Amino acid sequence: MIYRPRRLRKNPIVRDMTAEVRFHPDMLIYPHFVEKGKNIKEPISSMPGIHHFSPDTLIKDVEKGLKNGINKILLFGSGEEKTPEGKSAYTKDTVVAQAIKLLKKNFKEDIYIITDVCLCAYTDDGHCGIIHDGYVENDVSVEAIAKMALTHAQAGADMVAPSDMMDGRVGSIREILDKNKLENTAIMAYSIKFASAYYGPFREAADSAPQFGDRKSYQMDFRNPNEAMREAFLDETEGADVLMVKPALAYLDIVNRLRANTQLPLACYNVSGEYSMVKAAAAKGWLDERSIVMENMYAFARAGCGLIITYHARDIVEKGWT
Ligand code: PBG
Ligand code: ZN
């Protein structure tokens, strides 16, 4: 036999030497839920290890993450007043704006703050845009979403991440930011976001479940890989700095295909349902958490993601899983 692939699998040294894909904690982005109020640290039951924080307690938790090298966070707001037009998403002192200001005051440029931009935690019907006659109307929603992005950027966010899936929102956000001299605030577009059952635990956490119908008139149909490429291309054309695919695990074919079709950095979002499945099975002793989490991280890297948004981020660095 001439070819014996097992030669290069003989021991850890040769396996590490010939590994084709590397993983580094710099790739990780950790999501946080910020809730209006004070002194809150409330566990989210369907996402073990994840909590709601008020801005004051968030600071302490972010500091702990920073000590372990988690310096990129994604903020979600909750607890604001819910109205048909979701105006509390962009009125002056939102909980997200407060959190950004407090984080920047404490950690300056040591923390890179990304904010989720979407109306679903602020509309009374829980939809990601503004409803007219039972339909989420695109252009009025985009206007509100752009205003929301502006308030985050003005508060000091480094990057805004629209997750609403309205048409044209990346372009509108870029325009409003530039007009306000915020040309250095970056945009990470939730470009290919599928209408997915994997968001279930998140909707409980963010109190953002749609009160009627579903999100299928704006989020993507998971049967459509070509349309997915088109969505990403549009965001790139409108000025997105980073493209994202969401969810991650069931959509690695999409990540891989997008990697071959764009020069932009690529992120994937390892979403709440994917996290909860691992946590639940690990709690039952049905699989080994550390092994499965790291196998998943390498799968994201292998598919072509340079950035990984994951609720596992803190466990990975704090428990030394790398
Ligand atoms: C809001 C938003 C959602 C997620 C991120 N931003 C929920 C949704 O679209 O219903 C999901 C994140 C997760 O499941 O971890 N548009
Ligand atoms: Zn939304």
Side-chain angles (χ1 to χ4, degrees), residues 118-120 128 163 215:
C118 193
L119 298 182
C120 52
C128 300
S163 68
R215 302 209 197 290

PDB file of all heavy atoms in Angstrom, residues 118-120 128 163 215, ligand 2:
ATOM      1  N   CYS A 118     -34.164  45.710  15.212  1.00  0.00           N
ATOM      2  CA  CYS A 118     -35.424  45.136  14.741  1.00  0.00           C
ATOM      3  C   CYS A 118     -36.549  45.612  15.640  1.00  0.00           C
ATOM      4  O   CYS A 118     -36.325  45.930  16.806  1.00  0.00           O
ATOM      5  CB  CYS A 118     -35.367  43.611  14.764  1.00  0.00           C
ATOM      6  SG  CYS A 118     -36.744  42.891  13.853  1.00  0.00           S
ATOM      7  N   LEU A 119     -37.774  45.648  15.106  1.00  0.00           N
ATOM      8  CA  LEU A 119     -38.887  46.213  15.876  1.00  0.00           C
ATOM      9  C   LEU A 119     -39.646  45.193  16.725  1.00  0.00           C
ATOM     10  O   LEU A 119     -40.489  45.571  17.534  1.00  0.00           O
ATOM     11  CB  LEU A 119     -39.877  46.901  14.920  1.00  0.00           C
ATOM     12  CG  LEU A 119     -39.339  48.081  14.103  1.00  0.00           C
ATOM     13  CD1 LEU A 119     -40.466  48.665  13.243  1.00  0.00           C
ATOM     14  CD2 LEU A 119     -38.746  49.161  15.003  1.00  0.00           C
ATOM     15  N   CYS A 120     -39.355  43.889  16.575  1.00  0.00           N
ATOM     16  CA  CYS A 120     -40.264  42.875  17.147  1.00  0.00           C
ATOM     17  C   CYS A 120     -40.379  42.896  18.675  1.00  0.00           C
ATOM     18  O   CYS A 120     -41.380  42.428  19.218  1.00  0.00           O
ATOM     19  CB  CYS A 120     -39.929  41.486  16.646  1.00  0.00           C
ATOM     20  SG  CYS A 120     -38.212  41.013  16.827  1.00  0.00           S
ATOM     21  N   CYS A 128     -41.752  42.151  13.083  1.00  0.00           N
ATOM     22  CA  CYS A 128     -40.472  42.839  12.930  1.00  0.00           C
ATOM     23  C   CYS A 128     -40.608  44.172  12.194  1.00  0.00           C
ATOM     24  O   CYS A 128     -39.633  44.886  12.006  1.00  0.00           O
ATOM     25  CB  CYS A 128     -39.472  41.936  12.204  1.00  0.00           C
ATOM     26  SG  CYS A 128     -39.165  40.407  13.107  1.00  0.00           S
ATOM     27  N   SER A 163     -31.949  42.853  11.761  1.00  0.00           N
ATOM     28  CA  SER A 163     -32.382  41.449  11.694  1.00  0.00           C
ATOM     29  C   SER A 163     -33.819  41.316  11.208  1.00  0.00           C
ATOM     30  O   SER A 163     -34.421  40.267  11.325  1.00  0.00           O
ATOM     31  CB  SER A 163     -32.249  40.801  13.074  1.00  0.00           C
ATOM     32  OG  SER A 163     -33.188  41.345  13.983  1.00  0.00           O
ATOM     33  N   ARG A 215     -43.565  34.797  10.476  1.00  0.00           N
ATOM     34  CA  ARG A 215     -42.663  35.789   9.880  1.00  0.00           C
ATOM     35  C   ARG A 215     -42.347  35.472   8.420  1.00  0.00           C
ATOM     36  O   ARG A 215     -41.379  35.979   7.859  1.00  0.00           O
ATOM     37  CB  ARG A 215     -41.359  35.846  10.682  1.00  0.00           C
ATOM     38  CG  ARG A 215     -41.510  36.193  12.163  1.00  0.00           C
ATOM     39  CD  ARG A 215     -40.270  36.889  12.666  1.00  0.00           C
ATOM     40  NE  ARG A 215     -40.098  36.941  14.104  1.00  0.00           N
ATOM     41  CZ  ARG A 215     -40.827  37.674  14.940  1.00  0.00           C
ATOM     42  NH1 ARG A 215     -41.837  38.380  14.481  1.00  0.00           N
ATOM     43  NH2 ARG A 215     -40.544  37.670  16.241  1.00  0.00           N
TER      44      ARG A 215
HETATM   45 ZN    ZN B   2     -37.522  40.987  14.622  1.00  0.00          ZN
END
